[in-house]
């Protein structure tokens, strides 16, 4: 069972071979959230040379009148974490600097598995 799990985790890019970061975005306006999450995803794709998944709607996509979308970043253990963290911080800072996206709440969950 152990060998099977390790094999699957390596193939599907899960820990312990990859670090996972989940970004959860929330906003009351679905279209604004969709536009903002796509912008954020595209900037991550351009700046990170690692797997970025999303943006997706979770099974429960609306809580307390706020729509939710998630982006998952998979960081290989061979990649420099400090450099990747700085890049993610810069992207999130630039996202917050855009007036039309400023109202979108972004929460970061590292190694959420």
């Amino acid at each position: 069972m152990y060998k099977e799990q390790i094999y699957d985790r390596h193939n599907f890019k899960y820990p312990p071979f990859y670090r996972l970061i989940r970004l959860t975005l929330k906003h009351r306006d679905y279209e604004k959230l969709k536009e903002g999450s796509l912008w954020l995803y595209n900037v991550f794709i351009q700046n990170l040379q690692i797997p970025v998944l999303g943006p997706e709607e979770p099974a429960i996509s609306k809580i307390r009148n706020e729509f939710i979308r998630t982006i998952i970043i998979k960081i290989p253990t061979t990649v420099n974490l400090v450099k990747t963290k700085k890049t993610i911080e810069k992207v999130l800072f630039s996202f917050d600097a855009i007036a039309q996206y400023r109202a979108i709440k972004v929460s970061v969950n590292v190694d959420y598995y």
Side-chain angles (χ1 to χ4, degrees), residues 44-81:
F44 279 133
I45 289 294
Q46 292 171 1
N47 290 293
L48 299 173
Q49 307 306 319
I50 56 178
V52 179
L53 306 176
E56 293 185 345
E57 295 178 11
I60 300 173
S61 61
K62 187 176 181 181
I63 297 176
R64 296 185 185 150
N65 293 324
E66 287 186 319
F67 293 97
I68 303 169
R69 291 183 73 116
T70 59
I71 297 173
I72 296 176
I73 302 171
K74 293 185 173 187
I75 306 170
T77 53
T78 57
V79 172
N80 184 340
L81 284 175

Side-chain angles (χ1 to χ4, degrees), residues 24-108:
T24 304
L25 293 85
K26 297 179 183 180
H27 196 273
R28 290 183 181 267
D29 182 357
Y30 178 77
E31 289 303 317
K32 187 175 282 193
L33 176 65
K34 184 177 176 182
E35 182 183 325
S37 62
L38 283 173
W39 183 91
L40 194 59
Y41 169 78
N42 288 325
V43 174
F44 279 133
I45 289 294
Q46 292 171 1
N47 290 293
L48 299 173
Q49 307 306 319
I50 56 178
V52 179
L53 306 176
E56 293 185 345
E57 295 178 11
I60 300 173
S61 61
K62 187 176 181 181
I63 297 176
R64 296 185 185 150
N65 293 324
E66 287 186 319
F67 293 97
I68 303 169
R69 291 183 73 116
T70 59
I71 297 173
I72 296 176
I73 302 171
K74 293 185 173 187
I75 306 170
T77 53
T78 57
V79 172
N80 184 340
L81 284 175
V82 175
K83 187 176 177 182
T84 304
K85 179 184 171 187
K86 286 182 181 180
T87 303
I88 292 170
E89 285 177 344
K90 285 179 186 177
V91 170
L92 290 175
F93 184 75
S94 64
F95 181 75
D96 195 43
I98 299 172
Q100 65 190 32
Y101 301 144
R102 194 169 294 135
I104 297 175
K105 299 175 197 165
V106 179
S107 62
V108 180

Side-chain angles (χ1 to χ4, degrees), residues 9 12-15 18-22 53 72-75 109-113:
R9 286 178 171 273
F12 295 113
K13 298 176 173 68
Y14 282 111
Y18 285 75
R19 306 280 307 262
L20 300 178
I21 297 176
R22 180 179 60 197
L53 306 176
I72 296 176
I73 302 171
K74 293 185 173 187
I75 306 170
N109 192 337
V110 179
D111 288 337
Y112 69 93
Y113 64 95

